[in-house]
Amino acid sequence: MTASRPLFKHIRNHTALFSELSQYRNAAVNTLGFTGYEFHKTPKFVTEDGSRLTIEPERSIVLPRVNVLSGLKNKLTAAIPTLHMVEHSEIGYRYPTAALAGLDAPFIKRMRSEYFHKVDEDRSICRPVNLSYGIKSRGKADNRQEYEVWMPDEAPDQSPLPLLIDAYGEDLPNDVRHFAEQPSKVHGWMGVKRAAFEALYTNKVRCGDLIVCIAMSVDAYNIGAKPDLAYSPEAESSIAVSNAEFEWEIEGYYAPRDWRFDHDEVWAAINHTLEAINDPLDNLYGNQIIPIAESKTERILSTLKSLGVGQKEVDELNLQPWEFMLTESEHRVKAHDPSRSVNLLGRLNRLFYQPEQQLPSLNWMHDLIL
């Protein structure tokens, strides 16, 4: 493990985390010799008809195993001379995520919960602390619409629509608004360990004076074989798929203090940066990339469908995402022994700690990609 990963200490404090991360990012800009630059978040995307959309500019590749990405940081900076890693920006997350809408839905609904260990607790136990609710347009190849809010801890089962309206207002299209109103239904779950870090990209010809900020992450993940994480005879496990993903997302840009905002110029720089990161990946990992055009949330859906899980089974289970915040189910019992309640937290932990398919530790993943 490296001597210092300061941002790990803020894993449960988002305000402190992002505040300190911005300081390391600013320091990296100064180290590159750029003075008088200011940070700007990714702007809304304005369409030809004037609609303002919240867009997630990101790309990703899927790989069979996380160890394929050994040395990723050094390989990227060697292949892209104007890509600079932000020192001390490593962040580690462990979380489960649920698919809340089916294959035929026009968008994807997702519920995600971050996890922590209690002090001196067995490290093979993770407990959820909060829930975020998100809606994304389908697929992962293009810049997608994305809307996400944190659900209040005291009412995670409330409708997310008022929160989405409060957060996005005029940027919330009607089709997304109407989709948010529809009841959510849990189709399946995924456990994820994420090693995240940041980088800065410059290119005078393609990006002008802008410095584009990129959030990168390496995810190792397991997809549950059944919607309720029960044992699946087809998969001979409670885990159906174990893969890894490398993802890069634009989180904003630095511009000179007197730079006048130009929508098309910023988005041209964003799209060029996405492709610049993508360019060397085929040479580095082309033989191992799994050709998948689905987001991770969509992969939950297609994986369960491939195992024969039908809508009837999903309907009968009627799982609610906040149930997985509980250690014991209040009304679910084991099929073979109705006198025993289902330990949902224990089932969820199988996605991280099933011995035969255990996800690696966060520090191990960060050491791997140095």
Side-chain angles (χ1 to χ4, degrees):
M1 176 180 173
T2 57
S4 175
R5 288 193 173 122
L7 296 184
F8 271 47
K9 70 177 180 287
H10 295 316
I11 198 164
R12 293 184 61 198
N13 186 334
H14 283 190
T15 301
L17 171 66
F18 292 116
S19 175
E20 192 165 325
L21 187 55
S22 69
Q23 295 175 34
Y24 289 122
R25 192 190 305 126
N26 290 340
V29 170
N30 291 330
T31 299
L32 292 175
F34 295 93
T35 57
Y37 271 61
E38 296 179 330
F39 178 77
H40 303 264
K41 67 178 182 180
T42 303
K44 307 295 183 183
F45 184 79
V46 182
T47 64
E48 290 184 359
D49 68 0
S51 299
R52 288 160 45 87
L53 301 178
T54 298
I55 297 292
E56 180 187 62
E58 91 174 10
R59 301 288 186 272
S60 68
I61 57 172
V62 176
L63 299 155
R65 297 169 305 282
V66 70
N67 57 10
V68 170
L69 292 165
S70 176
L72 171 68
K73 286 186 177 181
N74 283 327
K75 291 175 181 177
L76 284 176
T77 52
I80 310 170
T82 58
L83 181 70
H84 309 277
M85 297 298 163
V86 175
E87 191 174 3
H88 300 316
S89 65
E90 300 95 340
I91 307 169
Y93 292 109
R94 60 179 66 78
Y95 63 89
T97 184
L100 303 184
L103 288 165
D104 298 328
F107 296 93
I108 281 290
K109 287 186 183 181
R110 181 189 69 184
M111 191 73 78
R112 187 171 70 181
S113 171
E114 291 187 9
Y115 264 46
F116 73 101
H117 299 291
K118 288 185 176 180
V119 175
D120 297 326
E121 184 175 48
D122 178 358
R123 302 293 285 186
S124 68
I125 297 174
C126 283
R127 298 182 183 276
V129 289
N130 47 30
L131 289 172
S132 69
Y133 176 97
I135 292 179
K136 292 187 179 185
S137 49
R138 301 188 77 99
K140 67 171 189 175
D142 301 311
N143 297 338
R144 294 173 291 165
Q145 295 180 62
E146 180 185 36
Y147 305 88
E148 185 169 23
V149 290
W150 289 99
M151 305 293 285
D153 293 341
E154 67 279 6
D157 55 343
Q158 76 170 64
S159 168
L161 185 58
L163 297 173
L164 288 167
I165 292 172
D166 183 61
Y168 298 102
E170 66 187 71
D171 305 314
L172 193 64
N174 281 336
D175 52 356
V176 172
R177 180 192 298 253
H178 299 155
F179 185 60
E181 290 176 326
Q182 303 304 311
S184 297
K185 187 167 293 184
V186 175
H187 287 72
W189 289 84
M190 174 186 289
V192 184
K193 292 277 189 79
R194 167 169 290 178
F197 55 98
E198 291 197 350
L200 303 172
Y201 176 78
T202 60
N203 185 312
K204 189 69 175 177
V205 174
R206 302 297 298 273
C207 301
D209 292 328
L210 303 184
I211 305 169
V212 184
C213 306
I214 312 156
M216 301 188 188
S217 65
V218 170
D219 292 355
Y221 61 85
N222 290 329
I223 299 176
K226 291 285 186 178
D228 67 343
L229 308 181
Y231 180 88
S232 167
E234 295 88 351
E236 297 184 339
S237 173
S238 58
I239 294 175
V241 170
S242 296
N243 281 158
E245 180 183 54
F246 169 52
E247 177 180 290
W248 59 106
E249 177 181 357
I250 307 301
E251 57 183 352
Y253 63 95
Y254 282 84
R257 188 176 296 272
D258 59 353
W259 190 80
R260 185 171 180 177
F261 174 76
D262 183 296
H263 173 275
D264 292 349
E265 190 173 339
V266 169
W267 276 95
I270 286 172
N271 288 320
H272 164 73
T273 302
L274 290 171
E275 296 310 314
I277 304 300
N278 184 72
D279 283 344
L281 295 180
D282 194 51
N283 288 333
L284 291 172
Y285 305 111
N287 293 334
Q288 293 153 307
I289 292 175
I290 301 173
I292 292 175
E294 298 172 315
S295 68
K296 286 203 296 297
T297 306
E298 287 176 292
R299 286 206 71 197
I300 297 172
L301 299 170
S302 60
T303 297
L304 294 178
K305 183 180 180 181
S306 72
L307 290 173
V309 175
Q311 190 64 47
K312 182 179 179 182
E313 182 175 350
V314 172
D315 293 342
E316 288 175 348
L317 282 169
N318 190 31
L319 285 167
Q320 302 300 316
W322 52 88
E323 287 189 78
F324 287 85
M325 301 281 279
L326 309 173
T327 299
E328 295 289 335
S329 171
E330 296 178 358
H331 61 280
R332 299 190 187 281
V333 296
K334 295 182 180 294
H336 64 280
D337 186 353
S339 67
R340 297 169 60 195
S341 62
V342 170
N343 185 327
L344 292 171
L345 182 60
R347 288 190 172 183
L348 199 55
N349 270 294
R350 290 186 200 173
L351 288 173
F352 297 96
Y353 300 114
Q354 186 164 312
E356 298 79 13
Q357 294 170 279
Q358 185 170 326
L359 295 177
S361 76
L362 299 178
N363 273 311
W364 180 91
M365 290 175 65
H366 280 88
D367 288 341
L368 174 79
I369 61 179
L370 283 175

